[in-house]
Amino acid sequence: MPEHGSKPTGLRRAVRRNVMARGRVTLDALEHLVGGLGTAVLAFVALFWMALVALACVVGVGLVLAPTVPRLVRAVADRERARLSRWGPEIIGPEPAPARVRAAFADPAVRRDLCWVLVHGTFGLFIGAACATMPPQAVQDVTYPLWWRLVKPEASSPNLVFWPVDDMLSAFAVVPVGLGWIAVLIGLGPRMARLQAWPGRRLLTPPHDTDLSLRVAQLSATRAAALDAHATELRRIERSLHDGTQNRLVAVTVMLGATRRALARDPSSADAMLERAQDAAEQALAELRTVVRGILPPVLADRGLAGALSGLAAGCGVPCRIDVDVPGRCAASTEATTYFVVAEALTNVSRHSRAQNATVTVRRQDDRLFLRVDDDGRGGADQGHGSGIDGIRRRVEAHDGRLTMTSPPGGPTTLEVELPCGS
């Protein structure tokens, strides 16, 4: 009987996880669309201002207002760059636009910003407005049988309902329309969010031939972060050896000296002192192993990344599911960074989140490794206050990676890391 009952239980859990994952994806897409709607409204305002300045130029007044156009367009485009950088790879802005109007409009970056304003202020505005109205429309239609009698008969048919609603049966017939809105949002929401963001990803990134200096500056900052992380790691190892292992070895030396003196005076007490010295030596050896694991965990070489992460999940104080799909082996530094990120994240989940479940997902796509740690805890995680997130970020950025954390109050918390796989 237990074997027969375990399959439906496992199936229900899998279905619940899939539903929750799909719900998170839909909510993220809706959040992206609403954020894109905000920048689309700003782009539409910029378009409207450009049209006013163009009309004013016909009568000669617009020449005074013309310098405001590239500055306004650049300000709106920078808002979109910041928004897209929060949800994906960072978009580095171009150099400031030239002060002179003719030189500004001759700048390729300004022209690309103008093209983006034209597309996002029209097409992006339409997509954002259409998707943002779907949730209210779905709530209205699904709950329509509860309140349709409160509205006037001539206004009792909601949008896109072509039949008159004059009784309870016709009111309940509106419910499938609301469910259809929900299905459309779940099925097409992520695609619409990507479609809305595509012009910005295409037009707001600087050309490859002008990105070299920016990339050099970024790599210089990454190198500085790597050196800082290395120095921090050396200090941590030094403290561990000095405060732990060294003290244990000193205690062993003292006990062995006391044992030699006890052999001459009271041989019967020498056994107890040797036993204490042996215990201290074993503790020193255990601490030394811990320090070595902190440098490069041997379990990675012995069991691979999936086995090492499974070991971390087994020792986590919260039930944790591991889902690793990484064909082949990555660079040792990448695997070690992934291991330490998961170890620190699961430690935070156990200590601070009050979560019931956690999930670690690792995927490899081409030359990038993607790590995601989810928990259903109380949320509100902060980089400060000893959470360890800032240390994780420095370790990830030292490998030219990217970390994104979403932890609203009330949960859930999602930690996403992207790392180069290396060879």
Side-chain angles (χ1 to χ4, degrees):
M1 289 298 295
E3 291 147 357
H4 293 288
S6 62
K7 291 184 179 179
T9 302
L11 180 61
R12 283 195 296 269
R13 290 179 179 174
V15 170
R16 185 167 62 250
R17 284 197 300 266
N18 291 334
V19 170
M20 292 180 62
R22 192 64 185 177
R24 289 196 190 103
V25 170
T26 304
L27 290 177
D28 287 345
L30 185 60
E31 187 177 359
H32 297 177
L33 287 164
V34 172
L37 177 62
T39 56
V41 171
L42 294 178
F44 181 79
V45 172
L47 279 177
F48 183 72
W49 179 249
M50 289 167 57
L52 287 181
V53 172
L55 291 175
C57 287
V58 176
V59 295
V61 182
L63 296 177
V64 180
L65 302 175
T68 63
V69 173
R71 290 200 294 267
L72 178 61
V73 169
R74 177 57 56 83
V76 176
D78 287 341
R79 290 288 296 271
E80 179 70 1
R81 289 187 182 96
R83 183 185 77 89
L84 295 178
S85 297
R86 289 194 299 270
W87 304 116
E90 182 181 6
I91 298 179
I92 302 175
E95 296 291 333
R100 298 179 59 183
V101 177
R102 183 170 297 180
F105 283 105
D107 186 358
V110 174
R111 291 202 297 265
R112 290 163 68 90
D113 290 348
L114 288 170
C115 292
W116 171 81
V117 165
L118 178 62
V119 175
H120 194 61
T122 53
F123 181 66
L125 181 64
F126 171 75
I127 293 179
C131 293
T133 57
M134 286 185 187
Q137 187 70 40
V139 172
Q140 171 191 289
D141 293 346
V142 170
T143 62
Y144 194 71
L146 302 177
W147 53 269
W148 72 278
R149 293 181 183 276
L150 302 178
V151 298
K152 296 180 180 180
E154 60 271 15
S156 60
S157 295
N159 298 333
L160 299 182
V161 173
F162 56 86
W163 62 86
V165 180
D166 49 11
D167 57 12
M168 185 59 71
L169 181 62
S170 58
F172 270 105
V174 179
V175 175
V177 178
L179 297 177
W181 285 118
I182 296 175
V184 170
L185 186 61
I186 293 175
L188 298 181
R191 292 185 177 89
M192 300 299 284
R194 289 193 294 269
L195 183 62
Q196 185 193 53
W198 182 81
R201 294 284 179 195
R202 179 72 176 177
L203 296 173
L204 297 184
T205 55
H208 295 292
D209 55 350
T210 61
D211 193 32
L212 293 178
S213 60
L214 298 175
R215 183 57 177 163
V216 167
Q218 186 181 33
L219 290 176
S220 298
T222 301
R223 179 178 178 272
L227 293 175
D228 289 341
H230 179 67
T232 302
E233 193 69 14
L234 288 179
R235 286 194 295 269
R236 182 189 66 82
I237 295 171
E238 189 274 335
R239 284 196 304 269
S240 298
L241 292 174
H242 182 273
D243 298 338
T245 308
Q246 179 176 289
N247 289 341
R248 298 289 183 188
L249 293 176
V250 169
V252 171
T253 303
V254 171
M255 289 179 186
L256 289 176
T259 303
R260 290 183 58 187
R261 291 190 296 271
L263 286 174
R265 296 194 306 267
D266 186 11
S268 61
S269 63
D271 287 340
M273 299 187 69
L274 282 174
E275 184 176 356
R276 290 193 315 190
Q278 183 179 4
D279 292 340
E282 291 175 353
Q283 292 175 5
L285 184 60
E287 291 180 359
L288 189 59
R289 289 198 187 102
T290 302
V291 174
V292 171
R293 291 193 189 98
I295 300 173
L296 185 62
V299 69
L300 285 172
D302 298 338
R303 301 171 56 188
L305 184 59
L309 297 185
S310 298
L312 289 176
C316 181
V318 174
C320 181
R321 185 175 66 92
I322 300 293
D323 183 8
V324 179
D325 184 10
V326 181
R329 297 296 299 266
C330 300
S333 59
T334 301
E335 291 188 347
T337 300
T338 304
Y339 179 87
F340 289 126
V341 168
V342 174
E344 184 66 33
L346 293 183
T347 299
N348 287 343
V349 170
S350 301
R351 292 180 178 176
H352 309 297
S353 70
R354 299 181 185 174
Q356 300 298 319
N357 293 281
T359 303
V360 177
T361 306
V362 184
R363 294 288 185 271
R364 178 173 182 172
Q365 297 180 7
D366 298 328
D367 61 342
R368 308 294 288 181
L369 188 72
F370 295 90
L371 165 66
R372 181 181 176 122
V373 182
D374 299 286
D375 71 74
D376 56 359
R378 61 180 179 176
D382 190 7
Q383 292 191 21
H385 307 293
S387 64
I389 303 299
D390 191 46
I392 293 177
R393 184 181 301 276
R394 288 197 302 268
R395 186 186 287 269
V396 169
E397 291 177 350
H399 287 271
D400 201 17
R402 182 176 60 87
L403 181 144
T404 304
M405 186 180 69
T406 305
S407 184
T413 297
T414 300
L415 184 73
E416 295 180 297
V417 173
E418 178 183 345
L419 290 167
C421 288
S423 56

